[in-house]
Amino acid sequence: MNIAYANKQTFLTRFDPRMLLLWYLIFATMPWFIYNRTVLVLLFLTMLVLAAVSRVSGLIIALMAFSTFCNLIYLVVLALVIGGDLEAFASMLTLTFKLLAVALVSVAVFASLDPEKFSDALLSLKVPGQVCFGISYGYRMIPILVEQYQQIISSFRLRGRMPTGGRWLRSRKLFYLGRIAVLAFYPMLLGTAKRTRTTVEALEIKGFTYALHNPEAKRLKLSYLRLTYRDALFVAGTALYLTIIFAIGRMFPI
């Protein structure tokens, strides 16, 4: 939902989406080639701060922290049961910090990118227009699908009657709610197909296919994408920061 509606008042939304995507690709792949734990810890802390200033949902951060904690505890207990020691915990920290750094930078960037800017950036990077439109349309359809699904379930419950009783954990009620959830799925698919057909017909009437392959129309559509001094400062600051943390990692390796 955060991606579909894109918070437009975050730190990362100020930059050109093309530069932001390339910057993300670097930080999503770089941690996998780093084995210095000092550098990984600093990267993790940096991405945590970036996720905070990007106003990433607290629920996502909490779920990420809970799952990471459970995985680490599970591995430690398993290592102790099979006769190992806490060395397993230390060895898993490297992989854990890599995963957390990549996950945090992913949610921070994509929660800040507007779907339209995201698709336009991909189009500017020579990605096929149909793929770009599909990504943008898919993001926009997520809230609509959720809302339609909830309305269908509510209509089923209004016209039906909730079972009473159930000797074990209210099994009848759970079965009734599960049955409604399954039955509501098919009307939602039918409504989505109708809505998609209407959207496609409206776009074709307005010359969508022609504009998608016309160079002049593409140039006009992407004319607002411009690299500014702010993007250059961001890239320079990132390069300087990486130089500093790699120097710290060499001086104080973990």
Side-chain angles (χ1 to χ4, degrees):
M1 287 297 195
N2 287 339
I3 294 173
Y5 290 114
N7 195 333
K8 298 181 180 180
Q9 297 179 348
T10 63
F11 172 72
L12 294 178
T13 55
R14 305 174 184 177
F15 304 108
D16 185 87
R18 298 168 297 177
M19 184 277 299
L20 203 57
L21 284 178
L22 296 176
W23 181 87
Y24 163 73
L25 289 177
I26 293 173
F27 277 87
T29 56
M30 183 177 60
W32 303 109
F33 301 97
I34 300 174
Y35 296 92
N36 188 314
R37 290 177 186 169
T38 303
V39 177
L40 290 174
V41 169
L42 292 175
L43 276 178
F44 161 70
L45 294 176
T46 303
M47 298 311 163
L48 187 61
V49 173
L50 185 64
V53 299
S54 299
R55 301 179 185 179
V56 173
S57 172
L59 176 62
I60 296 177
I61 303 298
L63 289 175
M64 196 179 301
F66 178 75
S67 62
T68 303
F69 175 77
C70 291
N71 285 333
L72 288 176
I73 296 300
Y74 158 74
L75 290 171
V76 170
V77 172
L78 180 63
L80 294 177
V81 168
I82 63 177
D85 52 21
L86 294 180
E87 185 65 24
F89 176 78
S91 62
M92 283 302 298
L93 282 179
T94 303
L95 178 60
T96 300
F97 281 121
K98 290 182 180 183
L99 290 172
L100 288 176
V102 174
L104 287 172
V105 71
S106 299
V107 296
V109 169
F110 289 103
S112 302
L113 272 178
D114 183 89
E116 295 299 328
K117 288 186 177 181
F118 184 30
S119 62
D120 288 345
L122 293 177
L123 186 63
S124 177
L125 296 173
K126 307 303 180 182
V127 176
Q130 289 84 351
V131 176
C132 300
F133 172 74
I135 292 173
S136 176
Y137 185 70
Y139 277 136
R140 294 303 187 190
M141 284 296 293
I142 290 174
I144 299 174
L145 291 178
V146 172
E147 182 181 0
Q148 185 178 3
Y149 189 65
Q150 291 175 345
Q151 289 176 354
I152 295 172
I153 289 180
S154 298
S155 65
F156 269 109
R157 296 185 65 182
L158 285 172
R159 290 180 294 177
R161 180 182 177 183
M162 178 75 73
T164 57
R167 297 180 180 179
W168 187 71
L169 296 178
R170 299 181 179 181
S171 56
R172 294 181 182 177
K173 292 183 179 180
L174 292 176
F175 177 79
Y176 174 75
L177 293 175
R179 182 172 178 271
I180 288 179
V182 174
L183 291 176
F185 184 74
Y186 299 101
M188 183 193 69
L189 284 181
L190 180 60
T192 303
K194 292 181 178 179
R195 192 185 299 271
T196 304
R197 180 179 178 181
T198 303
T199 304
V200 170
E201 290 175 350
L203 289 172
E204 289 301 324
I205 290 174
K206 296 180 180 180
F208 172 76
T209 302
Y210 172 79
L212 199 62
H213 298 90
N214 185 271
E216 186 63 24
K218 281 186 179 181
R219 186 190 64 79
L220 184 63
K221 176 180 176 59
L222 303 176
S223 60
Y224 74 96
L225 295 176
R226 295 179 181 176
L227 293 171
T228 63
Y229 71 94
R230 184 179 297 169
D231 301 301
L233 288 177
F234 182 69
V235 172
T238 301
L240 178 61
Y241 176 75
L242 288 177
T243 304
I244 294 174
I245 65 172
F246 275 107
I248 295 175
R250 289 182 179 179
M251 290 187 293
F252 308 101
I254 299 177

